[in-house]
Amino acid sequence: MSSTGCQKKIQVSVFTDVTQNQFVSEIYPKRLPVIIRGQDIGPCIDCWKSTEYLGKKGGNKEVKIHVSPTPQMDFINKNFLYRSLPFSELVKRAGEDKHTEYFISETEKYYLRAVGDNPRTDIADINKQFPELADDISIPPFFSPDRFFSSVFRISSNGIQLWTHYDVMDNILIQVTGSKRVVLFSPQDANYMYLNGDKSEVLDIDNPDLEKYPNFINATRYEGVLQAGDILFIPALWFHNVIALEFGIAVNVFWKHLDDNLYDNKDTYGNKDLTPASRAMQIMDRAMKALEELPDSYKDFYARRLIARIERKCLQKSFPP
Ligand SMILES: O=C(O)CCC(=O)C(=O)O
Ligand SMILES: [Fe+2]
């Protein structure tokens, strides 16, 4: 454990040659992010190094992508465009630093988060959308196949940074080619993240604006570098921020580790809050509306009492749980 500036920093642990049993019985229950190295993920580790191969096997299917003029994508000011490209063209462009054909500029960056055929109703599944490429990757048996939710292609230009966000399902991020820096924050640090829905407004986590986000410094930073072939376990609700250190291809797999009925059945991305949580937030909105009927001093008094009750009844004191 060390600290840069004032933020506490922890290296994400790396485990090598982990058996299925070790993952399930020793690593997974701790619910901490870990990097798993040396798993057999299939022939993709070699053949996906070739953008020509990827283009040929992935085909010309149109994919929706983020195109950004700068490496850091900004969801607040929307500095990126949504565009479509044939998969093979995307792979080619994402692999080059300068483009002859482009949307914004010759050094623009690309990011693909694959979606289902109908993004509103279908769930991303590489077996369905990219069956020929799916044959090249084997998903490690870290969860029961009947709990599978989605498998998502992630293609990144060198340098592109995805904002800090959380997902509601357990997840393994399989980095097939290229390396990536990952930074994670515990769900228990949620109050320091300046959330806007599932995303943190602190875009520049390496040089945060502490006048605007003074409490961000209190969040403990878990950091690691994924090499090609590494797998990052991202427990549900852990915030994660990702920078591609090179052009790279990844596949992440979400699975449902809780009861089916807790998940929102309209969630196609794995990021809609669990239904009891959404309900609680709506009820809270109503509680706040009710307090609005009171004079300020009463509102303040009852708000303090509500916060104290929630703190006493709902917060977990110790971590890990
Ligand atoms: O690797 C990436 O580009 C993002 C990964 C991610 O957000 C996820 O696996 O949930
Ligand atoms: Fe994510």
Side-chain angles (χ1 to χ4, degrees), residues 211-272:
E211 299 226 322
K212 219 164 159 187
Y213 311 115
N215 292 324
F216 181 68
I217 207 82
N218 299 320
T220 300
R221 175 181 170 117
Y222 290 70
E223 182 165 342
V225 172
L226 303 180
Q227 306 293 351
D230 285 355
I231 298 174
L232 173 67
F233 169 49
I234 310 176
L237 306 184
W238 274 76
F239 302 96
H240 44 289
N241 180 293
V242 177
I243 296 183
L245 302 174
E246 300 166 77
F247 159 60
I249 316 278
V251 173
N252 84 282
V253 182
F254 288 117
W255 72 95
K256 295 182 174 185
H257 65 295
L258 301 173
D259 237 39
D260 264 350
N261 62 10
L262 293 175
Y263 295 95
D264 185 326
N265 57 21
K266 283 190 284 301
D267 183 9
T268 56
Y269 288 90
N271 66 357
K272 274 200 165 43

Coordinates of all heavy atoms in Angstrom, one line a residue, residues 211-272:
E211 N -11.0 21.2 -6.6 CA -11.9 22.3 -6.2 C -13.3 21.9 -6.4 O -14.2 22.1 -5.6 CB -11.6 23.5 -7.0 CG -10.2 24.0 -6.7 CD -10.1 25.5 -6.5 OE1 -10.9 26.3 -7.1 OE2 -9.3 25.9 -5.7
K212 N -13.5 21.2 -7.6 CA -14.8 20.7 -7.9 C -15.2 19.4 -7.3 O -16.3 19.2 -6.9 CB -14.8 20.5 -9.5 CG -16.0 20.9 -10.2 CD -15.7 21.0 -11.7 CE -17.0 21.0 -12.5 NZ -16.7 20.9 -13.9
Y213 N -14.2 18.6 -7.1 CA -14.4 17.2 -6.5 C -13.5 16.9 -5.3 O -12.7 16.0 -5.3 CB -14.1 16.2 -7.6 CG -14.8 16.4 -8.9 CD1 -14.0 16.7 -10.1 CD2 -16.2 16.4 -9.1 CE1 -14.6 17.0 -11.3 CE2 -16.8 16.7 -10.3 CZ -16.0 17.0 -11.4 OH -16.6 17.2 -12.6
P214 N -13.7 17.7 -4.2 CA -12.7 17.7 -3.1 C -12.7 16.3 -2.4 O -11.6 15.9 -1.9 CB -13.2 18.7 -2.2 CG -14.6 19.0 -2.6 CD -14.7 18.8 -4.0
N215 N -13.8 15.6 -2.4 CA -13.8 14.3 -1.7 C -13.3 13.1 -2.5 O -13.1 12.0 -1.9 CB -15.3 14.0 -1.2 CG -15.7 15.0 -0.2 OD1 -14.9 15.4 0.6 ND2 -17.0 15.3 -0.2
F216 N -13.0 13.4 -3.8 CA -12.4 12.3 -4.6 C -11.1 11.7 -4.0 O -10.8 10.5 -4.1 CB -12.2 12.7 -6.0 CG -11.7 11.6 -6.9 CD1 -12.5 10.5 -7.2 CD2 -10.4 11.7 -7.4 CE1 -12.0 9.5 -8.0 CE2 -9.9 10.7 -8.3 CZ -10.7 9.6 -8.6
I217 N -10.4 12.6 -3.3 CA -9.1 12.2 -2.7 C -9.3 11.1 -1.7 O -8.3 10.4 -1.4 CB -8.4 13.5 -2.2 CG1 -6.9 13.4 -2.1 CG2 -9.0 13.9 -0.8 CD1 -6.3 13.7 -3.4
N218 N -10.5 11.0 -1.1 CA -10.7 10.0 -0.1 C -11.0 8.6 -0.6 O -11.0 7.7 0.2 CB -11.9 10.4 0.8 CG -11.7 11.8 1.5 OD1 -10.6 12.0 2.0 ND2 -12.7 12.6 1.5
A219 N -11.1 8.5 -1.9 CA -11.4 7.2 -2.5 C -10.1 6.4 -2.6 O -9.1 7.0 -3.1 CB -12.1 7.4 -3.9
T220 N -10.1 5.2 -2.3 CA -8.9 4.4 -2.4 C -8.8 3.8 -3.8 O -9.8 3.3 -4.3 CB -8.9 3.2 -1.4 OG1 -9.0 3.7 -0.1 CG2 -7.7 2.3 -1.6
R221 N -7.6 4.0 -4.4 CA -7.4 3.7 -5.8 C -6.8 2.3 -5.9 O -5.7 2.1 -5.4 CB -6.6 4.8 -6.4 CG -6.1 4.6 -7.8 CD -5.2 5.8 -8.1 NE -4.5 5.6 -9.4 CZ -4.7 6.4 -10.5 NH1 -5.5 7.5 -10.4 NH2 -4.1 6.2 -11.6
Y222 N -7.5 1.4 -6.6 CA -6.9 0.0 -6.9 C -6.5 0.1 -8.3 O -7.3 0.3 -9.2 CB -8.0 -1.1 -6.7 CG -8.4 -1.3 -5.3 CD1 -9.2 -0.4 -4.6 CD2 -8.1 -2.5 -4.6 CE1 -9.6 -0.6 -3.2 CE2 -8.5 -2.7 -3.3 CZ -9.2 -1.8 -2.6 OH -9.6 -2.0 -1.3
E223 N -5.2 -0.3 -8.5 CA -4.7 -0.1 -9.9 C -3.9 -1.3 -10.4 O -3.3 -2.0 -9.6 CB -3.7 1.1 -9.9 CG -3.2 1.4 -11.2 CD -2.5 2.8 -11.4 OE1 -2.8 3.7 -10.5 OE2 -1.8 3.0 -12.3
G224 N -4.0 -1.6 -11.7 CA -3.3 -2.7 -12.3 C -3.1 -2.5 -13.7 O -3.8 -1.6 -14.3
V225 N -2.3 -3.3 -14.3 CA -2.1 -3.3 -15.8 C -2.4 -4.7 -16.3 O -1.9 -5.7 -15.8 CB -0.7 -2.9 -16.2 CG1 -0.5 -3.1 -17.7 CG2 -0.4 -1.4 -15.8
L226 N -3.4 -4.7 -17.3 CA -3.7 -6.0 -17.9 C -2.8 -6.2 -19.1 O -2.7 -5.3 -20.0 CB -5.1 -6.0 -18.4 CG -6.2 -5.8 -17.4 CD1 -7.6 -5.8 -18.0 CD2 -6.2 -6.8 -16.2
Q227 N -2.1 -7.4 -19.2 CA -1.4 -7.7 -20.3 C -2.3 -8.6 -21.2 O -3.2 -9.2 -20.7 CB -0.1 -8.5 -20.0 CG 0.8 -7.8 -19.0 CD 1.4 -6.5 -19.5 OE1 1.3 -6.2 -20.7 NE2 2.1 -5.7 -18.7
A228 N -1.9 -8.8 -22.5 CA -2.7 -9.7 -23.3 C -2.8 -11.0 -22.6 O -1.8 -11.6 -22.2 CB -2.0 -9.8 -24.7
G229 N -4.0 -11.6 -22.6 CA -4.2 -12.9 -22.0 C -4.7 -12.8 -20.5 O -5.1 -13.8 -19.9
D230 N -4.5 -11.6 -19.9 CA -5.0 -11.5 -18.5 C -6.5 -11.3 -18.4 O -7.2 -10.8 -19.3 CB -4.4 -10.2 -17.9 CG -2.9 -10.4 -17.6 OD1 -2.4 -11.5 -17.7 OD2 -2.3 -9.4 -17.1
I231 N -7.0 -11.7 -17.2 CA -8.4 -11.6 -17.0 C -8.6 -10.8 -15.7 O -8.0 -11.1 -14.7 CB -9.0 -13.0 -16.8 CG1 -8.9 -13.8 -18.1 CG2 -10.5 -12.9 -16.3 CD1 -9.4 -15.3 -17.9
L232 N -9.4 -9.8 -15.8 CA -9.7 -9.0 -14.6 C -11.1 -9.4 -14.0 O -12.1 -9.3 -14.8 CB -9.7 -7.5 -14.9 CG -10.1 -6.5 -13.8 CD1 -9.1 -6.5 -12.7 CD2 -10.3 -5.1 -14.4
F233 N -11.1 -9.8 -12.8 CA -12.5 -10.0 -12.2 C -12.9 -8.7 -11.6 O -12.2 -8.1 -10.8 CB -12.4 -11.1 -11.1 CG -13.6 -11.2 -10.2 CD1 -14.9 -11.3 -10.8 CD2 -13.5 -11.1 -8.8 CE1 -16.0 -11.3 -10.0 CE2 -14.6 -11.2 -8.0 CZ -15.9 -11.3 -8.6
I234 N -14.0 -8.2 -12.1 CA -14.6 -6.9 -11.6 C -15.9 -7.3 -10.8 O -16.9 -7.6 -11.5 CB -15.0 -5.9 -12.7 CG1 -13.8 -5.8 -13.7 CG2 -15.4 -4.6 -12.1 CD1 -14.1 -4.9 -14.9
P235 N -15.9 -7.3 -9.5 CA -17.1 -7.6 -8.8 C -18.2 -6.6 -9.0 O -17.8 -5.4 -9.3 CB -16.7 -7.6 -7.3 CG -15.2 -7.6 -7.3 CD -14.7 -7.0 -8.6
A236 N -19.4 -7.0 -9.0 CA -20.5 -6.1 -9.2 C -20.4 -4.8 -8.3 O -19.9 -4.9 -7.2 CB -21.9 -6.8 -8.9
L237 N -20.7 -3.7 -8.9 CA -20.7 -2.4 -8.2 C -19.3 -1.7 -8.0 O -19.2 -0.6 -7.6 CB -21.4 -2.4 -6.8 CG -22.9 -2.9 -6.8 CD1 -23.4 -2.8 -5.4 CD2 -23.8 -2.2 -7.8
W238 N -18.3 -2.5 -8.3 CA -16.9 -1.8 -8.2 C -16.8 -0.9 -9.4 O -17.1 -1.2 -10.6 CB -15.8 -2.9 -8.3 CG -15.5 -3.4 -6.9 CD1 -16.3 -4.3 -6.2 CD2 -14.4 -3.1 -6.1 NE1 -15.7 -4.6 -5.0 CE2 -14.5 -3.8 -4.9 CE3 -13.3 -2.3 -6.3 CZ2 -13.6 -3.8 -3.9 CZ3 -12.4 -2.2 -5.2 CH2 -12.5 -2.9 -4.1
F239 N -16.4 0.4 -9.1 CA -16.2 1.4 -10.1 C -14.9 1.0 -10.9 O -13.9 0.5 -10.3 CB -16.0 2.7 -9.5 CG -17.2 3.1 -8.7 CD1 -17.2 3.0 -7.3 CD2 -18.3 3.7 -9.3 CE1 -18.3 3.3 -6.6 CE2 -19.4 4.0 -8.5 CZ -19.4 3.8 -7.2
H240 N -14.9 1.2 -12.2 CA -13.7 0.9 -13.0 C -13.5 2.0 -14.1 O -14.5 2.5 -14.7 CB -13.7 -0.5 -13.6 CG -15.0 -1.0 -14.2 ND1 -16.1 -1.3 -13.4 CD2 -15.3 -1.2 -15.5 CE1 -17.1 -1.7 -14.2 NE2 -16.6 -1.7 -15.5
N241 N -12.2 2.3 -14.3 CA -11.8 3.3 -15.3 C -10.7 2.6 -16.1 O -9.8 1.9 -15.5 CB -11.3 4.5 -14.6 CG -10.8 5.6 -15.6 OD1 -9.8 5.4 -16.3 ND2 -11.5 6.7 -15.6
V242 N -10.8 2.7 -17.4 CA -9.9 1.9 -18.3 C -9.2 2.8 -19.3 O -9.8 3.6 -20.0 CB -10.7 0.8 -19.0 CG1 -9.9 0.0 -19.9 CG2 -11.4 -0.1 -18.0
I243 N -7.9 2.6 -19.4 CA -7.1 3.3 -20.5 C -6.4 2.2 -21.3 O -5.7 1.4 -20.8 CB -6.0 4.2 -20.0 CG1 -6.6 5.4 -19.2 CG2 -5.2 4.8 -21.1 CD1 -5.6 6.4 -18.7
A244 N -6.7 2.2 -22.6 CA -5.9 1.3 -23.5 C -4.5 1.8 -23.7 O -4.3 2.9 -24.2 CB -6.7 1.2 -24.8
L245 N -3.5 1.0 -23.3 CA -2.1 1.4 -23.4 C -1.6 1.1 -24.8 O -0.6 1.6 -25.2 CB -1.3 0.7 -22.4 CG -1.7 1.0 -20.9 CD1 -0.8 0.2 -20.0 CD2 -1.5 2.5 -20.6
E246 N -2.4 0.3 -25.6 CA -2.2 0.0 -27.0 C -3.5 -0.3 -27.6 O -4.5 -0.5 -26.9 CB -1.4 -1.3 -27.1 CG 0.0 -1.4 -26.4 CD 0.4 -2.9 -26.3 OE1 0.8 -3.4 -27.4 OE2 0.3 -3.5 -25.3
F247 N -3.6 -0.4 -28.9 CA -4.8 -0.9 -29.6 C -5.0 -2.3 -29.0 O -4.1 -3.1 -28.8 CB -4.5 -1.0 -31.1 CG -5.4 -1.9 -31.8 CD1 -6.7 -1.7 -31.9 CD2 -4.8 -3.0 -32.6 CE1 -7.6 -2.6 -32.6 CE2 -5.6 -3.9 -33.3 CZ -7.0 -3.7 -33.3
G248 N -6.2 -2.6 -28.7 CA -6.5 -3.9 -28.1 C -7.9 -4.4 -28.2 O -8.9 -3.6 -28.4
I249 N -8.0 -5.7 -28.1 CA -9.3 -6.4 -28.2 C -9.6 -7.1 -26.9 O -8.7 -7.8 -26.4 CB -9.3 -7.5 -29.3 CG1 -8.6 -7.0 -30.6 CG2 -10.7 -8.0 -29.5 CD1 -9.5 -6.2 -31.5
A250 N -10.8 -6.9 -26.3 CA -11.2 -7.5 -25.1 C -12.6 -8.1 -25.2 O -13.3 -7.6 -26.1 CB -11.1 -6.6 -23.9
V251 N -12.9 -9.1 -24.4 CA -14.3 -9.5 -24.3 C -14.6 -9.6 -22.8 O -13.8 -10.1 -22.1 CB -14.4 -11.0 -24.9 CG1 -15.8 -11.5 -24.6 CG2 -14.1 -11.0 -26.4
N252 N -15.7 -9.0 -22.5 CA -16.1 -9.1 -21.1 C -17.3 -9.9 -20.9 O -18.2 -9.9 -21.8 CB -16.1 -7.8 -20.3 CG -17.4 -7.1 -20.5 OD1 -17.7 -6.5 -21.5 ND2 -18.3 -7.2 -19.5
V253 N -17.4 -10.7 -19.9 CA -18.6 -11.5 -19.7 C -19.2 -11.2 -18.3 O -18.6 -11.2 -17.3 CB -18.1 -13.0 -19.7 CG1 -19.3 -13.9 -19.5 CG2 -17.4 -13.4 -20.9
F254 N -20.5 -10.8 -18.4 CA -21.3 -10.6 -17.2 C -22.1 -11.8 -16.9 O -22.6 -12.5 -17.8 CB -22.3 -9.4 -17.5 CG -21.7 -8.1 -17.6 CD1 -21.9 -7.4 -18.9 CD2 -21.1 -7.4 -16.6 CE1 -21.4 -6.1 -19.0 CE2 -20.6 -6.1 -16.7 CZ -20.8 -5.5 -17.9
W255 N -22.2 -12.1 -15.6 CA -23.2 -13.1 -15.2 C -23.9 -12.7 -13.9 O -23.5 -11.8 -13.2 CB -22.4 -14.4 -14.9 CG -21.6 -14.6 -13.7 CD1 -21.9 -15.1 -12.5 CD2 -20.2 -14.2 -13.6 NE1 -20.8 -15.0 -11.6 CE2 -19.8 -14.5 -12.3 CE3 -19.3 -13.6 -14.5 CZ2 -18.5 -14.2 -11.8 CZ3 -18.0 -13.3 -14.0 CH2 -17.6 -13.7 -12.7
K256 N -25.1 -13.4 -13.8 CA -26.0 -13.0 -12.7 C -25.6 -13.8 -11.5 O -25.8 -15.1 -11.5 CB -27.4 -13.3 -13.1 CG -28.0 -12.5 -14.2 CD -29.4 -12.9 -14.5 CE -30.0 -11.9 -15.5 NZ -31.4 -12.2 -15.8
H257 N -25.1 -13.2 -10.5 CA -24.7 -14.0 -9.3 C -25.8 -14.0 -8.2 O -25.7 -14.6 -7.2 CB -23.4 -13.5 -8.7 CG -23.4 -12.1 -8.2 ND1 -23.6 -11.0 -9.0 CD2 -23.2 -11.7 -6.9 CE1 -23.6 -10.0 -8.2 NE2 -23.3 -10.3 -7.0
L258 N -26.8 -13.1 -8.4 CA -27.9 -13.1 -7.5 C -29.2 -13.7 -8.1 O -29.2 -14.1 -9.2 CB -28.2 -11.6 -7.1 CG -27.0 -10.8 -6.5 CD1 -27.4 -9.4 -6.3 CD2 -26.6 -11.5 -5.2
D259 N -30.3 -13.7 -7.3 CA -31.5 -14.2 -7.7 C -32.0 -13.5 -9.0 O -32.0 -12.3 -9.0 CB -32.6 -14.0 -6.6 CG -33.2 -15.2 -6.2 OD1 -32.5 -16.2 -6.1 OD2 -34.4 -15.2 -6.0
D260 N -32.5 -14.3 -10.0 CA -33.0 -13.7 -11.2 C -34.0 -12.5 -11.0 O -33.9 -11.5 -11.7 CB -33.8 -14.8 -12.0 CG -32.9 -15.4 -13.0 OD1 -31.8 -14.9 -13.2 OD2 -33.3 -16.4 -13.6
N261 N -34.8 -12.7 -10.0 CA -35.9 -11.6 -9.9 C -35.4 -10.3 -9.4 O -36.2 -9.3 -9.3 CB -37.1 -12.2 -9.1 CG -36.7 -12.5 -7.7 OD1 -35.5 -12.2 -7.3 ND2 -37.5 -13.2 -6.9
L262 N -34.2 -10.2 -8.9 CA -33.6 -8.9 -8.5 C -33.2 -8.0 -9.6 O -33.0 -6.8 -9.5 CB -32.4 -9.2 -7.5 CG -32.8 -9.8 -6.2 CD1 -31.5 -10.1 -5.4 CD2 -33.7 -9.0 -5.4
Y263 N -32.9 -8.7 -10.8 CA -32.4 -7.9 -11.9 C -33.6 -7.3 -12.7 O -34.6 -7.9 -12.8 CB -31.6 -8.8 -12.8 CG -30.3 -9.3 -12.1 CD1 -30.3 -10.6 -11.5 CD2 -29.2 -8.5 -12.1 CE1 -29.2 -11.0 -10.9 CE2 -28.0 -9.0 -11.4 CZ -28.0 -10.2 -10.8 OH -26.9 -10.7 -10.2
D264 N -33.3 -6.1 -13.3 CA -34.3 -5.5 -14.1 C -34.4 -6.2 -15.4 O -33.4 -6.3 -16.1 CB -33.8 -4.0 -14.3 CG -34.8 -3.2 -15.1 OD1 -35.5 -3.7 -15.9 OD2 -34.9 -2.0 -14.8
N265 N -35.6 -6.8 -15.8 CA -35.6 -7.6 -17.0 C -35.5 -6.8 -18.3 O -35.5 -7.3 -19.4 CB -36.7 -8.6 -17.0 CG -38.1 -7.9 -16.8 OD1 -38.2 -6.7 -17.1 ND2 -39.1 -8.6 -16.3
K266 N -35.5 -5.4 -18.2 CA -35.3 -4.6 -19.4 C -33.8 -4.2 -19.5 O -33.5 -3.5 -20.4 CB -36.2 -3.4 -19.3 CG -37.6 -3.7 -19.7 CD -38.5 -2.5 -19.9 CE -38.9 -1.8 -18.6 NZ -39.7 -2.7 -17.7
D267 N -33.0 -4.7 -18.6 CA -31.5 -4.4 -18.7 C -30.8 -5.2 -19.8 O -30.7 -6.4 -19.7 CB -30.9 -4.6 -17.3 CG -29.5 -4.2 -17.2 OD1 -29.0 -3.5 -18.2 OD2 -28.8 -4.5 -16.2
T268 N -30.4 -4.5 -20.8 CA -29.6 -5.2 -21.8 C -28.1 -5.0 -21.7 O -27.3 -5.7 -22.3 CB -30.0 -4.8 -23.3 OG1 -29.9 -3.4 -23.4 CG2 -31.5 -5.2 -23.5
Y269 N -27.7 -4.0 -20.9 CA -26.3 -3.7 -20.7 C -25.6 -4.2 -19.5 O -24.4 -4.1 -19.3 CB -26.1 -2.2 -20.8 CG -26.3 -1.6 -22.1 CD1 -27.6 -1.2 -22.5 CD2 -25.3 -1.4 -23.0 CE1 -27.8 -0.6 -23.8 CE2 -25.5 -0.9 -24.3 CZ -26.8 -0.5 -24.6 OH -27.0 0.1 -25.9
G270 N -26.4 -4.7 -18.5 CA -25.8 -5.1 -17.2 C -25.5 -4.0 -16.3 O -24.7 -4.1 -15.4
N271 N -26.2 -2.8 -16.6 CA -25.9 -1.6 -15.7 C -27.1 -1.0 -15.1 O -27.0 0.1 -14.6 CB -25.0 -0.6 -16.5 CG -25.7 0.0 -17.7 OD1 -26.9 -0.4 -17.9 ND2 -25.1 0.9 -18.3
K272 N -28.3 -1.6 -15.3 CA -29.5 -1.0 -14.6 C -29.5 -1.5 -13.2 O -29.3 -2.7 -12.9 CB -30.7 -1.5 -15.4 CG -31.1 -0.7 -16.6 CD -32.6 -0.9 -16.8 CE -33.3 0.0 -17.7 NZ -32.8 0.5 -18.9

